[in-house]
Amino acid sequence: MSATENKPLAGRRILLGVTGGIAAYKTAGLVRLFKKAGADVRVVMTPDASRFVTPLTLGTLSENEVHVEIFPENEAGSWTKHVALGLWADLFLVAPLTAQTLSKLVDGACDSMLTAVALTARCPIMVCPAMDHDMYIHPAIRSNLDTLSSRGVEVMEAEHGELASGLIGQGRLPEPESIFEHASELLSRIAGSSSGPLAGKRVVVTAGPTRERIDPVRFISNHSTGTMGFELARAAARRGADVVLIAGPVSLSTPEGVRRVDVESTADMHAAVNGQADADIIIMSAAVADFTPARPSESKIKKDASSPDMTLKPTADILADLGSRKRDGQLLVGFALETDNGLENARGKLQRKNLDWIVLNNPKKAGAGFGTGTNRVTLLAADDQRVDLPVLPKSEVADAIIELAVLGTDPDAIDPLS
Ligand code: CTP
């Protein structure tokens, strides 16, 4: 069985919104199903929901902090989390949805973290209304559900059965397994439909190291694992872009919905990039080798070779080449790996290579560099903007780069989530 069969929702981000109905207890099982399927789950609850199931329960099961208050005490600067959560999610699933929160969603109310997130979410929203039968069939509720449907919200109708009141009728929250299946089906529909702020845009991302051949068994390379580039490809695809990922030798699986071209040397990567040079957005995150053996050997160099020929010659600078023929409207993003004089060197590369943005990182800094799950970068723009990001998981750094550099999102709106 492959990893994706085992974890059908690997890399998917589910934001679960829980409102205050008796069926809220079922969300513990739902969180477990999503986690078992490999999804990353975050939870927002209305204050009333926390009377039915505790934030501690859902926080423990989701392995993430649960958000309840829109203005949490003692958390200065966290008020933009409703925006960050809305940008983060692939799906905002509200289950159970009470009559009260339903009417707030229809009205655009913004009195809790959950209702605020519903207004900022760029991802699809799915709701699972659950209430007593007579409420469920009331014309006010039916009309509110129709309104949500007409705005593109996926409404999973309640089931018929025994209700908390003791009555029998329609209004029961479906079992976690049914909600899980419905949400999974919706996620695969979304993946096929290419909607999102980058729909229709062609994005090329390069990732990983290159290998320069010394002889048939030896090469020059570097420590790049490709993680940053793969996360960038994933982040762009998730926003609806048509993504080509040109990858050096790495052992990572291809993000969903991304076309991958594997290459080995700088020359191979250059040729592959040239084939896509008219893309709308090109992000060169690959750690391209600057030198290659001038005369690679056709046969294995034996150890008794008195002095192996290790003469090196410079490789072509792929990004400088792209910059020299950048077309109108094309966006070029480069990376700068600097251990000393970072800002100055990065600004130099930004100008010399005719880039729109450059992402500066220093592998010597804590939380940054090769082989770590996190990175700490500074983004510099040709128009002198500068954004310093804190140490973040590479997936969140990728989201921030796409939001800031590609979509032009205000830096204040992409505060880290935790
Ligand atoms: N790059 C490239 N082709 C090369 C070398 C680098 O396209 N032959 C790209 C990288 O993918 C990155 C940017 O140029 O986006 C800067 O790479 P970096 O290694 O930081 O700098 P160099 O230009 O190689 O300069 P130096 O090694 O002197 O720092």
Side-chain angles (χ1 to χ4, degrees):
M1 195 182 271
S2 77
T4 44
E5 277 172 298
N6 258 334
K7 305 268 183 203
L9 297 184
R12 290 319 194 84
R13 297 163 166 192
I14 311 287
L15 181 60
L16 177 64
V18 184
T19 72
I22 183 68
Y25 76 91
K26 289 187 180 173
T27 55
L30 187 57
V31 171
R32 290 198 59 183
L33 288 172
F34 282 128
K35 289 291 286 182
K36 259 177 81 180
D40 195 355
V41 181
R42 290 178 191 260
V43 179
V44 283
M45 304 173 81
T46 58
D48 278 349
S50 60
R51 295 161 66 182
F52 292 93
V53 57
T54 70
L56 183 62
T57 306
L58 297 182
T60 307
L61 293 172
S62 67
E63 298 175 277
N64 276 313
E65 182 197 354
V66 170
H67 304 277
V68 180
E69 304 295 339
I70 191 162
F71 299 115
E73 278 173 38
N74 308 326
E75 260 197 80
S78 65
W79 68 271
T80 52
K81 280 202 176 140
H82 58 293
V83 181
L85 285 165
L87 291 176
W88 172 85
D90 291 328
L91 176 68
F92 182 30
L93 167 63
V94 186
L97 173 65
T98 56
Q100 171 77 351
T101 304
L102 169 63
S103 94
K104 288 181 184 175
L105 296 187
V106 167
D107 286 346
C110 183
D111 63 341
S112 70
M113 187 59 116
L114 189 148
T115 49
V117 168
L119 292 175
T120 61
R122 289 191 186 170
C123 61
I125 300 178
M126 169 175 158
V127 297
C128 300
M131 58 200 80
D132 205 63
H133 175 69
D134 295 302
M135 293 168 81
Y136 197 67
I137 58 168
H138 192 282
I141 299 294
R142 299 316 310 167
S143 142
N144 280 347
L145 288 173
D146 287 346
T147 304
L148 286 193
S149 271
S150 70
R151 292 180 193 160
V153 172
E154 177 88 0
V155 177
M156 183 178 187
E157 291 287 354
E159 285 184 352
H160 192 276
E162 195 176 333
L163 301 164
S165 60
L167 296 174
I168 309 259
Q170 194 180 9
R172 262 175 82 90
L173 184 72
E175 290 308 310
E177 288 75 11
S178 308
I179 300 176
F180 171 80
E181 267 172 36
H182 197 120
S184 302
E185 191 265 324
L186 177 60
L187 279 166
S188 45
R189 249 192 285 149
I190 302 160
S193 71
S194 284
S195 59
L198 290 178
K201 294 282 181 201
R202 288 187 45 224
V203 175
V204 172
V205 180
T206 65
T210 57
R211 276 185 189 169
E212 308 304 319
R213 195 182 270 241
I214 297 170
D215 70 11
V217 295
R218 303 181 180 94
F219 55 81
I220 299 174
S221 192
N222 59 62
H223 290 298
S224 170
T225 59
T227 312
M228 197 60 245
F230 275 58
E231 290 300 339
L232 281 162
R234 192 193 313 280
R238 192 182 279 131
R239 289 165 176 81
D242 174 9
V243 183
V244 176
L245 173 61
I246 299 174
V250 294
S251 47
L252 294 171
S253 44
T254 312
E256 205 177 301
V258 165
R259 284 184 290 145
R260 171 168 171 179
V261 180
D262 285 318
V263 296
E264 192 172 297
S265 66
T266 303
D268 297 339
M269 185 172 277
H270 200 177
V273 169
N274 277 344
Q276 309 285 336
D278 60 341
D280 301 296
I281 297 141
I282 305 183
I283 307 177
M284 281 290 302
S285 74
V288 184
D290 289 326
F291 298 98
T292 189
R295 287 174 287 278
S297 173
E298 286 299 319
S299 17
K300 184 184 168 201
I301 301 170
K302 302 299 285 177
K303 73 175 167 201
D304 57 6
S306 49
S307 58
D309 181 1
M310 293 296 285
T311 316
L312 300 176
K313 64 174 184 185
T315 56
D317 190 317
I318 304 170
L319 190 53
D321 179 31
L322 290 169
S324 69
R325 54 199 167 106
K326 185 165 73 170
R327 67 169 167 80
D328 271 0
Q330 188 176 46
L331 189 93
L332 271 191
V333 182
F335 273 66
L337 192 67
E338 307 291 347
T339 52
D340 306 287
N341 303 325
L343 284 171
E344 195 185 322
N345 288 339
R347 281 204 185 96
K349 284 176 192 173
L350 179 78
Q351 276 163 12
R352 249 189 343 270
K353 303 195 189 196
N354 193 22
L355 309 180
D356 299 282
W357 285 86
I358 196 153
V359 182
L360 165 64
N361 56 6
N362 177 347
K364 283 162 99 184
K365 278 203 176 153
F370 299 127
T372 56
T374 56
N375 208 353
R376 179 179 186 166
V377 305
T378 295
L379 277 83
L380 302 171
D383 66 5
D384 281 343
Q385 277 186 78
R386 169 179 169 173
V387 184
D388 295 290
L389 294 176
V391 175
L392 290 172
K394 284 183 175 165
S395 58
E396 288 179 31
V397 176
D399 279 332
I401 292 171
I402 298 290
E403 286 295 332
L404 288 163
V406 177
L407 292 168
T409 304
D410 184 339
D412 289 339
I414 57 153
D415 271 4
L417 291 171
S418 49

Short mmCIF file of all heavy atoms in Angstrom, two decimals, residues 42-65:
data_model
loop_
_atom_site.label_atom_id
_atom_site.label_comp_id
_atom_site.label_asym_id
_atom_site.label_seq_id
_atom_site.Cartn_x
_atom_site.Cartn_y
_atom_site.Cartn_z
N ARG A 42 -6.86 22.01 12.41
CA ARG A 42 -6.95 23.06 13.43
C ARG A 42 -8.42 23.26 13.75
O ARG A 42 -9.28 23.00 12.89
CB ARG A 42 -6.34 24.36 12.94
CG ARG A 42 -4.82 24.26 12.82
CD ARG A 42 -4.21 25.52 12.28
NE ARG A 42 -2.82 25.31 11.95
CZ ARG A 42 -1.78 25.65 12.73
NH1 ARG A 42 -1.99 26.25 13.88
NH2 ARG A 42 -0.55 25.42 12.35
N VAL A 43 -8.68 23.69 14.97
CA VAL A 43 -10.08 23.78 15.41
C VAL A 43 -10.38 25.19 15.90
O VAL A 43 -9.58 25.78 16.63
CB VAL A 43 -10.35 22.76 16.54
CG1 VAL A 43 -11.79 22.86 17.03
CG2 VAL A 43 -10.04 21.33 16.07
N VAL A 44 -11.54 25.72 15.48
CA VAL A 44 -12.08 26.93 16.10
C VAL A 44 -13.42 26.55 16.69
O VAL A 44 -14.16 25.77 16.10
CB VAL A 44 -12.29 28.11 15.12
CG1 VAL A 44 -11.01 28.80 14.78
CG2 VAL A 44 -13.02 27.70 13.87
N MET A 45 -13.73 27.10 17.86
CA MET A 45 -15.00 26.77 18.52
C MET A 45 -15.68 28.05 18.93
O MET A 45 -15.01 29.03 19.29
CB MET A 45 -14.75 25.98 19.81
CG MET A 45 -13.96 24.73 19.63
SD MET A 45 -13.56 23.98 21.24
CE MET A 45 -15.08 23.14 21.58
N THR A 46 -17.01 28.04 18.92
CA THR A 46 -17.69 29.18 19.53
C THR A 46 -17.58 29.00 21.05
O THR A 46 -17.40 27.87 21.53
CB THR A 46 -19.18 29.22 19.13
OG1 THR A 46 -19.79 27.99 19.53
CG2 THR A 46 -19.34 29.43 17.64
N PRO A 47 -17.69 30.10 21.82
CA PRO A 47 -17.61 29.94 23.27
C PRO A 47 -18.63 28.91 23.78
O PRO A 47 -18.33 28.10 24.66
CB PRO A 47 -17.90 31.35 23.78
CG PRO A 47 -17.41 32.25 22.67
CD PRO A 47 -17.73 31.51 21.40
N ASP A 48 -19.85 28.88 23.20
CA ASP A 48 -20.86 27.91 23.66
C ASP A 48 -20.45 26.47 23.39
O ASP A 48 -20.78 25.57 24.15
CB ASP A 48 -22.20 28.17 22.96
CG ASP A 48 -22.96 29.29 23.65
OD1 ASP A 48 -22.55 29.70 24.76
OD2 ASP A 48 -23.96 29.77 23.06
N ALA A 49 -19.74 26.25 22.27
CA ALA A 49 -19.35 24.88 21.92
C ALA A 49 -18.46 24.28 23.00
O ALA A 49 -18.51 23.08 23.26
CB ALA A 49 -18.63 24.86 20.58
N SER A 50 -17.66 25.17 23.65
CA SER A 50 -16.73 24.63 24.64
C SER A 50 -17.45 24.15 25.90
O SER A 50 -16.84 23.57 26.78
CB SER A 50 -15.66 25.68 24.98
OG SER A 50 -16.27 26.82 25.50
N ARG A 51 -18.79 24.36 25.97
CA ARG A 51 -19.56 23.78 27.08
C ARG A 51 -19.94 22.33 26.77
O ARG A 51 -20.34 21.58 27.64
CB ARG A 51 -20.80 24.62 27.35
CG ARG A 51 -20.41 26.02 27.84
CD ARG A 51 -21.51 27.02 27.69
NE ARG A 51 -22.65 26.74 28.54
CZ ARG A 51 -23.76 27.48 28.53
NH1 ARG A 51 -23.84 28.54 27.73
NH2 ARG A 51 -24.76 27.18 29.31
N PHE A 52 -19.88 21.96 25.50
CA PHE A 52 -20.26 20.59 25.10
C PHE A 52 -19.05 19.68 24.92
O PHE A 52 -19.11 18.49 25.14
CB PHE A 52 -21.06 20.62 23.80
CG PHE A 52 -22.41 21.25 23.95
CD1 PHE A 52 -22.59 22.60 23.70
CD2 PHE A 52 -23.50 20.50 24.36
CE1 PHE A 52 -23.83 23.20 23.85
CE2 PHE A 52 -24.75 21.08 24.51
CZ PHE A 52 -24.92 22.45 24.25
N VAL A 53 -17.95 20.24 24.43
CA VAL A 53 -16.72 19.46 24.27
C VAL A 53 -15.58 20.45 24.57
O VAL A 53 -15.66 21.61 24.16
CB VAL A 53 -16.62 18.84 22.85
CG1 VAL A 53 -16.69 19.86 21.75
CG2 VAL A 53 -15.35 18.01 22.67
N THR A 54 -14.58 20.00 25.31
CA THR A 54 -13.60 20.99 25.77
C THR A 54 -12.53 21.27 24.71
O THR A 54 -12.16 20.37 23.94
CB THR A 54 -12.87 20.54 27.05
OG1 THR A 54 -12.01 19.47 26.71
CG2 THR A 54 -13.84 20.14 28.14
N PRO A 55 -12.01 22.52 24.71
CA PRO A 55 -10.88 22.82 23.82
C PRO A 55 -9.71 21.89 24.10
O PRO A 55 -8.96 21.54 23.18
CB PRO A 55 -10.53 24.28 24.17
CG PRO A 55 -11.80 24.84 24.73
CD PRO A 55 -12.48 23.70 25.43
N LEU A 56 -9.57 21.45 25.34
CA LEU A 56 -8.45 20.56 25.69
C LEU A 56 -8.58 19.24 24.91
O LEU A 56 -7.60 18.72 24.37
CB LEU A 56 -8.44 20.30 27.20
CG LEU A 56 -7.29 19.44 27.71
CD1 LEU A 56 -5.94 20.10 27.42
CD2 LEU A 56 -7.44 19.18 29.21
N THR A 57 -9.81 18.71 24.83
CA THR A 57 -10.01 17.44 24.09
C THR A 57 -9.64 17.62 22.62
O THR A 57 -8.85 16.85 22.06
CB THR A 57 -11.51 17.04 24.17
OG1 THR A 57 -11.89 17.00 25.53
CG2 THR A 57 -11.76 15.70 23.50
N LEU A 58 -10.21 18.66 22.01
CA LEU A 58 -9.97 18.82 20.57
C LEU A 58 -8.54 19.29 20.29
O LEU A 58 -7.97 18.94 19.25
CB LEU A 58 -11.00 19.79 19.97
CG LEU A 58 -12.45 19.29 20.08
CD1 LEU A 58 -13.40 20.27 19.41
CD2 LEU A 58 -12.62 17.90 19.45
N GLY A 59 -7.96 20.03 21.22
CA GLY A 59 -6.56 20.45 21.06
C GLY A 59 -5.63 19.26 21.14
O GLY A 59 -4.67 19.14 20.37
N THR A 60 -5.92 18.34 22.07
CA THR A 60 -5.07 17.15 22.22
C THR A 60 -5.18 16.28 20.97
O THR A 60 -4.17 15.82 20.42
CB THR A 60 -5.50 16.35 23.47
OG1 THR A 60 -5.51 17.24 24.57
CG2 THR A 60 -4.56 15.19 23.74
N LEU A 61 -6.41 16.08 20.49
CA LEU A 61 -6.59 15.19 19.33
C LEU A 61 -6.03 15.81 18.05
O LEU A 61 -5.49 15.12 17.20
CB LEU A 61 -8.07 14.85 19.14
CG LEU A 61 -8.69 13.99 20.24
CD1 LEU A 61 -10.19 13.89 20.06
CD2 LEU A 61 -8.05 12.60 20.24
N SER A 62 -6.17 17.13 17.92
CA SER A 62 -5.70 17.78 16.68
C SER A 62 -4.22 18.12 16.74
O SER A 62 -3.61 18.43 15.73
CB SER A 62 -6.50 19.06 16.41
OG SER A 62 -6.22 20.03 17.41
N GLU A 63 -3.66 18.08 17.97
CA GLU A 63 -2.26 18.45 18.20
C GLU A 63 -1.99 19.90 17.82
O GLU A 63 -0.90 20.24 17.36
CB GLU A 63 -1.29 17.52 17.44
CG GLU A 63 -1.40 16.08 17.88
CD GLU A 63 -0.53 15.16 17.05
OE1 GLU A 63 -0.97 14.76 15.95
OE2 GLU A 63 0.58 14.86 17.48
N ASN A 64 -3.01 20.73 17.95
CA ASN A 64 -2.86 22.16 17.69
C ASN A 64 -3.71 22.94 18.69
O ASN A 64 -4.73 22.43 19.18
CB ASN A 64 -3.35 22.50 16.27
CG ASN A 64 -2.26 22.27 15.23
OD1 ASN A 64 -1.12 22.69 15.42
ND2 ASN A 64 -2.61 21.61 14.15
N GLU A 65 -3.29 24.17 18.92
CA GLU A 65 -4.05 25.04 19.80
C GLU A 65 -5.47 25.26 19.24
O GLU A 65 -5.64 25.41 18.04
CB GLU A 65 -3.32 26.39 19.85
CG GLU A 65 -3.92 27.43 20.76
CD GLU A 65 -3.38 28.84 20.43
OE1 GLU A 65 -2.46 28.95 19.59
OE2 GLU A 65 -3.89 29.79 21.00
#
